Amino acid sequence: MGSLNNLHIVTWNANGLALRVNELEMFLNSNQIDIALISETHFTNKSHVRIRGFRAYWTTHPSGRARGGSAILIKQNIQHFQLEEVREDFIQATIISLKQSGANLNIAAAYCPPAHKIEKKQFMDVFAKLGPRFVIAGDFNVKHTA
């Protein structure tokens, strides 16, 4: 891996990650991906995935059922730490932090189920939790007619 300025990050809506873990592993390795931000994992407290060479973090839907959720897979050789997840009905976000140029860069994978009408304040509260330097990616189920 190069410097943190040259990270290869991918985002993917898995719609059930356990069924697609082999496909993901091949993609990560063949494209030299450092961090994968996954939405709609469908994990429960009893299910998750592991990929050789990566550390996995995940956030389940608050119901505990196999729906929604998010995950981050990060190469094990990248120094990082996990931050507190966001685990609400309207958003599930997994968050890690990297030290970059003397400051932290927080990276989040998010999933917002389509059944909720999320207000601006709710997003602002989540963004505030991410700190002043962050990247967030995922499936926000934002529909626009244009």
Side-chain angles (χ1 to χ4, degrees), residues 39-89:
S39 57
E40 210 167 350
T41 57
H42 295 181
F43 290 160
T44 67
N45 292 336
K46 296 179 181 179
S47 66
H48 59 276
V49 299
R50 299 209 185 279
I51 293 180
R52 185 180 21 221
F54 286 83
R55 181 79 197 262
Y57 302 96
W58 57 90
T59 303
T60 60
H61 188 276
S63 71
R65 297 195 329 247
R67 58 191 283 196
S70 64
I72 295 178
L73 293 137
I74 180 169
K75 281 190 175 173
Q76 289 177 343
N77 65 341
I78 299 173
Q79 290 187 358
H80 67 281
F81 57 93
Q82 184 179 20
L83 295 176
E84 183 182 354
E85 66 189 8
V86 178
R87 192 170 181 243
E88 302 287 343
D89 284 337

Side-chain angles (χ1 to χ4, degrees), residues 2-144:
S3 73
L4 293 183
N5 293 326
N6 295 316
L7 287 175
H8 292 105
I9 301 174
V10 67
T11 183
W12 182 43
N13 183 321
N15 194 17
L17 183 54
L19 299 174
R20 295 166 180 80
V21 70
N22 292 335
E23 175 185 352
L24 177 62
E25 183 173 16
M26 284 178 36
F27 179 84
L28 295 176
N29 291 322
S30 65
N31 291 284
Q32 299 178 331
I33 302 298
D34 298 303
I35 302 172
L37 307 175
I38 312 295
S39 57
E40 210 167 350
T41 57
H42 295 181
F43 290 160
T44 67
N45 292 336
K46 296 179 181 179
S47 66
H48 59 276
V49 299
R50 299 209 185 279
I51 293 180
R52 185 180 21 221
F54 286 83
R55 181 79 197 262
Y57 302 96
W58 57 90
T59 303
T60 60
H61 188 276
S63 71
R65 297 195 329 247
R67 58 191 283 196
S70 64
I72 295 178
L73 293 137
I74 180 169
K75 281 190 175 173
Q76 289 177 343
N77 65 341
I78 299 173
Q79 290 187 358
H80 67 281
F81 57 93
Q82 184 179 20
L83 295 176
E84 183 182 354
E85 66 189 8
V86 178
R87 192 170 181 243
E88 302 287 343
D89 284 337
F90 69 92
I91 188 171
Q92 295 94 57
T94 307
I95 310 163
I96 62 169
S97 187
L98 310 173
K99 186 78 103 181
Q100 182 192 41
S101 303
N104 288 348
L105 173 64
N106 298 330
I107 300 177
Y111 179 70
C112 296
H116 300 276
K117 183 175 191 256
I118 304 171
E119 300 295 326
K120 179 180 177 180
K121 181 182 179 339
Q122 291 173 296
F123 275 125
M124 296 306 292
D125 290 345
V126 171
F127 296 160
K129 188 173 187 172
L130 294 175
R133 296 179 68 223
F134 68 89
V135 172
I136 186 169
D139 184 354
F140 293 89
N141 274 300
V142 178
K143 310 297 186 223
H144 195 283

